[in-house]
Amino acid sequence: MAQFFKAKAKSTSIKAIRDAQVLALDHHLNGVVKHQGKTYFVDGVLPGERVDVLPSAKSGPAKLLKRLNDAPQRIEPACQFYQECGGCSAQYLSAQAQRDYKLKAVAELISRQSGYQDLPEFEILSGDDWHYRRATRLSTWFDKQRGWQLGFRQKSSKDIVAISECIVLKPQLSALLVPLQQLLKTWPKSINLGHVELIDCQPQIVCRIRVRNQPSDKIAAQLRSFAQQHSIALVIATDEQSSYLMGEQAYYDLAEQDLRLAFTPGDFIQVNEAMNQALVSKALEWLQPCAEDQILDLYAGIGNFSLALGQKAQQVIAVEGVTAMTKQVLANAEANGLSNVSAFSGDLEQVETANAWQKTKVNKVLLDPARAGAKLAISQVAKLSPSTVVYVSCNPATLARDAKVLKQAGYRLSNLALVDMFAHTEHVETMALFER
């Protein structure tokens, strides 16, 4: 019987890369490694270090197998939970070194992707490196032996690290972690506990607890006692509603503008109070609002920028995707004595919304989108042809993408600022001023 040759299938397994050099850090603070014409990104390494890594594909993310040497800039992380906790992953660098690397990477990204080659020099806005977070979200998990567990997610895992303190949280929030863990672990599994939020605001700290169903009378009594003992407000959030079990309306101040902004726990607010104030003040400095200005504020939230602009402009039009937050803008404007702030709701990535706000006659625009950026809205902004655009971004990649649209529309990039909103993490806030 004839026999036919059959070639062996080529192995598709991806092999480890040995003794590779880390060349740079990208804007996520991942180490950049090049091998045989391919580029890989490795978490937790620094330029000058040599590493063994395992790629997950022919290019892209790679898992660190071993670090063969330490760069001179590497320091010992300050947090005792650093090795397990998935937050604050950049602690192996000093805060200043983090900012230096972020600035370089963001500048390269914007220059490469936006079309703006000669960038203005970055301003750097920074504050406290520790104890700066005024808000946090804690995860929960039910363990059959230990009951409900409360903490932060482990690195690259859904498991939870039950921490006793967090050194990036405001001390008054960190002090609540252990008491909360002790309270929640006694609850039955049937409570269907979700995440827990802590917010340092006025007139008192708020603890917002997410549950599937309203708590029983027994658990509600425990919560009231806990709130009284720790002098905090308690909010219970279900799929249907969010309501105060104890406490008063939450708010925060913009001290430099003498403004008070009420919000509903669960609404978006910036986690770093000092840097939020810096954002607002810098936006005012760049936009220079005056009595003749009609200003459009896109992705307005609860009016964080709208009210400050309304103190000086003739008219501010705020657009926000969440109806409840749009109503809060109007309520905040009224509470602060501002009658020149109008607001309406609409999805800013829908043409119908853009058609509505395009009918307004404005000469200046501020936008502060989420990480996805303003892919549709930025084109509509360019069509309005305002003299000045201030773009506040929590994702430099989408800022660079949207800046390209403004460049093509004839805008020059006049100012840039790096705002260290999230020290010890990969994240960074960026501000850009565009002018005709």
Side-chain angles (χ1 to χ4, degrees):
M1 184 176 71
Q3 291 183 336
F4 295 93
F5 171 76
K6 185 177 181 181
K8 292 183 179 180
K10 291 184 178 180
S11 173
T12 57
S13 62
I14 298 175
K15 296 181 179 180
I17 300 171
R18 304 291 179 184
D19 195 20
Q21 184 173 4
V22 181
L23 302 175
L25 296 184
D26 70 1
H27 66 284
H28 294 297
L29 296 184
N30 290 318
V32 179
V33 171
K34 293 186 180 292
H35 179 73
Q36 295 182 350
K38 305 293 184 182
T39 302
Y40 302 95
F41 302 96
V42 188
D43 180 38
V45 298
L46 292 172
E49 294 179 339
R50 304 198 72 86
V51 293
D52 294 342
V53 300
L54 181 64
S56 58
K58 290 183 179 180
S59 62
K63 179 182 178 181
L64 176 65
L65 299 176
K66 186 177 182 181
R67 194 175 66 248
L68 305 178
N69 68 304
D70 288 345
Q73 284 185 302
R74 182 173 290 277
I75 62 173
E76 189 68 23
C79 177
Q80 62 176 307
F81 303 102
Y82 174 78
Q83 296 300 331
E84 294 80 33
C85 182
C88 305
S89 58
Q91 290 186 49
Y92 52 86
L93 274 170
S94 70
Q96 184 57 53
Q98 293 169 35
R99 288 189 282 270
D100 291 342
Y101 276 117
K102 287 176 179 178
L103 191 153
K104 182 179 179 182
V106 169
E108 290 176 352
L109 180 68
I110 293 174
S111 181
R112 184 174 66 250
Q113 296 188 10
S114 70
Y116 289 103
Q117 297 300 315
D118 298 320
L119 301 184
E121 185 176 351
F122 271 85
E123 297 180 59
I124 298 181
L125 306 179
S126 62
D128 293 334
D129 301 328
W130 302 105
H131 306 298
Y132 67 85
R133 283 192 72 110
R134 66 174 172 183
T136 189
R137 176 178 288 192
L138 298 152
S139 299
T140 63
W141 183 262
F142 187 79
D143 183 274
K144 291 180 179 179
Q145 281 73 44
R146 298 179 296 164
W148 285 104
Q149 301 297 295
L150 177 73
F152 295 117
R153 298 288 182 188
Q154 290 185 10
K155 290 180 180 178
S156 306
S157 171
K158 292 184 178 180
D159 293 337
I160 291 173
V161 182
I163 63 172
S164 57
E165 66 171 346
C166 176
I167 57 177
V168 297
L169 287 183
K170 292 285 188 74
Q172 53 268 39
L173 297 186
S174 183
L176 287 170
L177 296 175
V178 171
L180 269 172
Q181 289 165 352
Q182 293 172 344
L183 172 69
L184 301 181
K185 71 180 181 181
T186 64
W187 289 4
K189 184 179 181 181
S190 59
I191 193 73
N192 284 326
L193 185 62
H195 60 260
V196 176
E197 294 173 67
L198 293 173
I199 310 163
D200 181 37
C201 56
Q202 300 297 331
Q204 56 194 162
I205 290 171
V206 173
C207 176
R208 181 176 184 265
I209 300 178
R210 188 77 166 79
V211 292
R212 183 66 58 85
N213 303 303
Q214 285 289 347
S216 66
D217 291 343
K218 179 182 177 180
I219 288 178
Q222 288 179 352
L223 286 169
R224 288 191 181 95
S225 176
F226 183 88
Q228 290 173 341
Q229 179 185 354
H230 296 279
S231 301
I232 65 173
L234 261 168
V235 173
I236 300 298
T238 66
D239 291 340
E240 288 76 32
Q241 63 178 359
S242 180
S243 58
Y244 280 86
L245 189 64
M246 291 280 292
E248 306 172 41
Q249 168 75 61
Y251 65 88
Y252 67 86
D253 293 324
L254 288 171
E256 292 183 20
Q257 286 73 41
D258 193 24
L259 289 168
R260 176 168 294 181
L261 286 88
F263 67 96
T264 299
D267 289 347
F268 172 79
I269 64 170
Q270 293 285 8
V271 302
N272 190 322
E273 182 178 12
M275 290 299 93
N276 182 60
Q277 177 67 77
L279 279 180
V280 173
S281 297
K282 185 58 64 176
L284 291 173
E285 177 188 327
W286 286 358
L287 278 172
Q288 290 291 304
C290 63
E292 292 77 33
D293 286 336
Q294 303 273 344
I295 302 178
L296 182 65
D297 180 12
L298 301 180
Y299 310 90
I302 62 169
N304 192 53
F305 292 100
S306 307
L307 271 61
L309 294 169
Q311 289 179 319
K312 297 180 179 296
Q314 182 185 84
Q315 181 74 23
V316 174
I317 303 99
V319 186
E320 166 55 40
V322 180
T323 302
M325 293 175 75
T326 304
K327 293 178 179 178
Q328 191 66 70
V329 173
L330 296 173
N332 282 333
E334 182 179 0
N336 285 276
L338 297 169
S339 59
N340 61 337
V341 176
S342 60
F344 65 89
S345 300
D347 184 345
L348 282 149
E349 290 307 305
Q350 295 293 327
V351 173
E352 293 78 10
T353 302
N355 288 341
W357 56 258
Q358 266 198 318
K359 295 175 183 178
T360 61
K361 190 171 183 179
V362 300
N363 63 312
K364 294 178 181 178
V365 175
L366 182 142
L367 61 161
D368 182 12
R371 293 189 60 77
K375 191 171 184 178
L376 173 71
I378 199 66
S379 298
Q380 308 303 320
V381 167
K383 289 178 183 178
L384 286 175
S385 194
S387 63
T388 312
V389 177
V390 169
Y391 192 129
V392 181
S393 169
C394 58
N395 184 353
T398 51
L399 169 61
R401 179 200 68 198
D402 296 342
K404 187 175 183 178
V405 176
L406 294 178
K407 185 178 190 305
Q408 292 169 345
Y411 285 86
R412 67 182 182 275
L413 178 53
S414 303
N415 287 329
L416 282 166
L418 188 85
V419 185
D420 198 16
M421 184 74 69
F422 317 97
H424 307 296
T425 77
E426 67 178 74
H427 303 294
V428 66
E429 200 93 1
T430 310
M431 297 182 69
L433 170 64
F434 301 90
E435 296 178 297
R436 280 194 180 279

